[in-house]
Amino acid sequence: MKIADCWNDYRIIATGDGMKLEKWGGVTLLRPDPQVIWHSREDLYARPDINAVYHRSEKGGGGWQVRKPFPPQWTVGYKDLTFSIKPMGFKHTGLFPEQAVNWDKMRALLDGAKAARGEKIKVLNLFAYTGGATVACAKSGAEVVHVDAAKGMVERAGENARLSGVNSGIRYIIDDCAKFVKREIRRGNKYDAIIMDPPSYGRGPNGEMWKIEDSLYDFVASCTQVLADNPLFVLINSYTTGLQPAVLNNILTLALGGRRGKVSAYEVCLPTDEGIVLPCGASGLFEGGNA
């Protein structure tokens, strides 16, 4: 288990009955969380400081109920990084704060590789969303190719890079990740590190179905064909309930068989003011043996 406990601009105040009460900078949000299956110590909805509550709809999806005015968009900081926060459909805010533990780890690996390799490290970030990992790696001097199929999310990634003072070193691509990887294989392009945050379910531009349980291993195996001979790291993140860390460990071990290095897998969690931790998914990490 790894706990993202170094935040100053983000915290979970309380949890219970399927909801989490969070502080994002100066804005307090109450959102659903499927992992919160215990009862709350208090009536979270009665808190007077809540700015907005996300309500699920019986027909699917849902929407935000504003209780107290707050900016449509604001920023939070993590160490030397700055990110834009904006409540969106399906309860998201544009950032997954638990991923800070992985940002720190990747930056440590990149910083350690600078002197040893003496050249720019090339990182491929797939299903890259609003670019938390992209910005973290670029801030440590990597050249990052950021790929996501959603134009709006790629634009948000560019905004986060600018907010964090990263003005170069990132190439943004709006594309289906599987198709992009296949083209990179044909082109013979190679990367020193690969990051991926694959969705649980998805549909490609031509109706292709993605289901993480059925598609992930083949996709990771495909990605190894664009991995350099002496890779620095490969990181897989999964938010799918029930996909255990050991599954990611097995996928990386089998797909990267023969590569020198070590594989680890772990839950990623966030601390709460109640003195517990909230599980937020799993990560699997391959670290190369010759950084």
Side-chain angles (χ1 to χ4, degrees):
M1 179 188 297
K2 294 190 177 182
I3 303 171
D5 55 4
C6 294
W7 280 94
N8 291 321
D9 284 358
Y10 172 84
R11 61 186 250 258
I12 299 177
I13 302 167
T15 59
D17 302 302
M19 303 294 287
K20 58 185 175 186
L21 184 68
E22 306 164 291
K23 192 82 169 179
W24 295 84
V27 178
T28 302
L29 303 176
L30 183 60
R31 298 192 291 161
D33 191 298
Q35 297 287 351
V36 181
I37 63 172
W38 50 89
H39 293 307
S40 175
R41 295 174 177 173
E42 61 177 300
D43 182 359
L44 298 182
Y45 291 89
R47 292 283 295 246
D49 54 339
I50 296 175
N51 292 95
V53 179
Y54 187 89
H55 295 284
R56 292 193 183 279
S57 169
E58 294 180 358
K59 298 179 180 179
W64 292 93
Q65 175 198 18
V66 176
R67 291 190 177 183
K68 295 173 62 178
F70 63 96
Q73 193 165 335
W74 67 100
T75 62
V76 298
Y78 180 77
K79 298 184 177 179
D80 59 346
L81 308 176
T82 303
F83 300 105
S84 171
I85 304 301
K86 178 182 179 182
M88 301 180 291
F90 198 61
K91 76 178 182 180
H92 293 309
T93 63
L95 191 68
F96 293 101
E98 70 276 1
Q99 287 301 313
V101 293
N102 286 326
W103 304 337
D104 289 344
K105 178 62 176 180
M106 290 185 291
R107 294 188 70 178
L109 290 171
L110 288 164
D111 291 342
K114 284 179 184 177
R117 301 199 176 200
E119 58 186 18
K120 285 279 189 179
I121 306 298
K122 294 179 62 178
V123 177
L124 175 60
N125 190 6
L126 300 165
F127 309 101
Y129 195 50
T130 58
T134 293
V135 175
C137 290
K139 193 75 172 179
S140 284
E143 292 182 349
V144 186
V145 175
H146 174 109
V147 187
D148 197 281
K151 180 181 179 182
M153 297 303 101
V154 175
E155 290 173 347
R156 290 277 298 274
E159 181 179 2
N160 285 330
R162 291 188 292 273
L163 287 169
S164 294
V166 177
N167 299 310
S168 62
I170 303 174
R171 178 185 172 204
Y172 301 98
I173 297 175
I174 302 168
D175 201 353
D176 176 83
C177 290
K179 291 185 176 181
F180 177 80
V181 170
K182 288 179 180 177
R183 286 198 299 273
E184 290 293 87
I185 293 170
R186 293 195 296 269
R187 294 167 181 148
N189 289 333
K190 300 289 183 178
Y191 297 87
D192 302 295
I194 297 176
I195 309 161
M196 62 180 76
D197 287 76
S200 298
Y201 300 95
R203 189 180 294 273
N206 296 316
E208 305 93 338
M209 286 297 298
W210 168 280
K211 187 177 180 181
I212 195 168
E213 297 90 339
D214 299 332
S215 306
L216 182 59
Y217 180 78
D218 288 340
F219 182 71
V220 175
S222 179
C223 288
T224 63
Q225 296 181 64
V226 298
L227 199 58
D229 292 337
N230 179 26
L232 182 61
F233 65 82
V234 177
L235 175 69
I236 305 174
N237 293 308
S238 172
Y239 308 99
T240 301
T241 302
L243 199 62
Q244 301 297 322
V247 174
L248 301 181
N249 187 301
N250 293 343
I251 288 173
L252 285 170
T253 299
L254 294 169
L256 292 164
R259 305 266 188 171
R260 289 190 58 191
K262 65 178 181 178
V263 174
S264 59
Y266 41 87
E267 278 189 287
V268 286
C269 303
L270 286 164
T272 84
D273 290 358
E274 306 150 307
I276 61 175
V277 295
L278 179 63
C280 303
S283 294
L285 177 67
F286 169 84
E287 299 175 55
N290 294 307

